Amino acid sequence: MQIIHSPTQIQQICLTLRRQGKRIGFVPTMGNLHAGHLSLMQLAKANADVVVASIFVNPLQFGPNEDLDSYPRTFTEDVEKLQSLDVDYLFVPSEKELYPQGRDVTTTVNVNRLQDRLCGRSRPGHFQGVTTVVNLLFNLVQPHVAVFGKKDYQQLQIIRAMVSDLFIPVEILAGDIVREANGLAMSSRNQYLSAEEKDRASHLNRIIGQTAAQIEAGQCDYPALCQQAREALTQLGFKVDYFEIYNRHNLMPPTADDKELVILAAAWLGKPKLLDNREVERP
Ligand code: PAF
């Protein structure tokens, strides 16, 4: 695996690969790789000739009181994991090289219809930071296909919307959520949980599963189902940010005809906010 730091160098390499007719698969990350990330690499590998991964803890997507400085950085372990999967290139830019104009004045991308809702409500500017860096990385790597995890469902749909609105010629693939043995969705921020909280955190997936079963059994009073779930989570000690049943494609409350739904939940347990979701079909 070649590790590239310079944006112009990775762009040259990827342009050459394209000219050689190679299909490029891209997986952007912020490092601290776990089994969830590795499954995204495998999905990229299965859909491309060459896999490029990136590690960049993007300051633009962290709010002033968030964990940018303490975000877990495990570069040596990450490199070993990527090597063991035969990832071809790892792009690791510095902030100075990626945002030479400075993080406050660089050109940004906004997906206005989706970015201020759900997680965007409690993290103003977060999704603008995500779309800005992903657009920039797409311009450098020029992938044919890019892979994002379904765990960050709103992020996935925002990236899809950006790609569609800006006519970016890349196919977006979604990787399934990878879970711990107790059902907790894997996340770099799970390491902020104590052992007891990690056990309790599994209830988030359990309650989403219960709600999914109720929808599949024909219940369609979605506000009532969400309220019931919020109350159950609160009783278990979660501080619920949101628990919603939405149309999976536009992340809006479903109409009576909508069948392809998604249950989206975000709740703090101790320090971290846990995100989880499940796609569900109305019968
Ligand atoms: O999901 C992440 O790790 C980040 O939001 C991403 C897509 C790498 C952009 O920084």
Side-chain angles (χ1 to χ4, degrees):
M1 182 174 75
Q2 278 192 53
I3 301 179
I4 311 290
H5 294 280
S6 146
T8 47
Q9 197 186 349
I10 194 75
Q11 195 176 45
Q12 280 313 315
I13 289 172
C14 291
L15 279 170
T16 306
L17 289 167
R18 273 193 163 252
R19 273 191 224 110
Q20 291 167 348
K22 301 272 195 245
R23 188 171 156 84
I24 302 174
F26 178 47
V27 187
T29 80
M30 298 207 301
N32 193 237
L33 305 179
H34 51 66
H37 294 110
L38 302 186
S39 76
L40 304 183
M41 304 292 161
Q42 273 154 343
L43 190 53
K45 243 184 135 43
N47 285 277
D49 303 312
V50 176
V51 175
V52 181
S54 66
I55 295 182
F56 179 62
V57 182
N58 173 32
L60 250 52
Q61 67 189 78
F62 288 78
N65 299 317
E66 294 184 10
D67 57 345
L68 173 61
D69 293 334
S70 59
Y71 192 82
R73 287 158 171 90
T74 49
F75 186 67
T76 310
E77 292 88 334
D78 291 349
V79 167
E80 277 167 17
K81 287 176 187 167
L82 294 175
Q83 269 166 342
S84 75
L85 289 179
D86 278 336
V87 166
D88 299 280
Y89 294 93
L90 172 60
F91 176 47
V92 193
S94 67
E95 179 183 345
K96 220 168 160 231
E97 279 172 309
L98 220 50
Y99 301 129
Q101 307 302 327
R103 58 171 94 151
D104 297 329
V105 293
T106 197
T107 301
T108 56
V109 178
N110 294 298
V111 177
N112 295 309
R113 64 188 174 284
L114 285 172
Q115 69 177 16
D116 296 327
R117 308 167 48 230
L118 297 164
C119 281
R121 253 192 347 231
S122 62
R123 302 187 76 186
H126 168 68
F127 287 115
Q128 174 183 300
V130 171
T131 43
T132 297
V133 79
V134 170
N135 182 52
L136 202 157
L137 292 167
F138 281 173
N139 287 331
L140 294 174
V141 176
Q142 309 199 29
H144 296 81
V145 57
V147 185
F148 294 84
K150 281 191 187 174
K151 202 208 106 273
D152 296 308
Y153 204 87
Q154 186 179 9
Q155 168 172 287
L156 170 68
Q157 298 303 47
I158 284 179
I159 302 236
R160 284 189 164 138
M162 173 183 82
V163 162
S164 160
D165 290 3
L166 300 183
F167 295 92
I168 303 177
V170 60
E171 182 189 348
I172 302 297
L173 291 183
D176 286 331
I177 298 178
V178 177
R179 298 182 180 279
E180 307 279 357
N182 72 358
L184 171 64
M186 285 198 183
S187 160
S188 299
R189 290 187 171 104
N190 287 353
Q191 56 197 272
Y192 298 144
L193 294 166
S194 68
E196 183 278 322
E197 285 167 343
K198 225 173 186 172
D199 276 351
R200 204 152 25 110
S202 66
H203 289 293
L204 184 58
N205 174 46
R206 185 181 60 74
I207 286 171
I208 292 175
Q210 270 175 7
T211 308
Q214 287 168 309
I215 296 171
E216 279 157 3
Q219 293 195 39
C220 54
D221 184 349
Y222 304 130
L225 291 177
C226 291
Q227 188 53 27
Q228 196 182 60
R230 281 184 212 116
E231 282 166 14
L233 287 166
T234 306
Q235 274 186 4
L236 286 158
F238 289 84
K239 186 170 160 252
V240 180
D241 185 16
Y242 58 80
F243 191 105
E244 302 290 355
I245 299 163
Y246 276 167
N247 171 311
R248 167 184 320 173
H249 304 287
N250 59 16
L251 303 189
M252 294 294 283
T255 65
D257 294 333
D258 287 345
K259 282 196 180 340
E260 297 194 329
L261 309 178
V262 60
I263 303 168
L264 297 161
W268 285 272
L269 189 64
K271 184 176 172 202
K273 183 163 83 169
L274 308 176
L275 302 186
D276 205 342
N277 64 75
R278 188 177 299 196
E279 290 174 336
V280 55
E281 244 95 309
R282 196 172 61 89

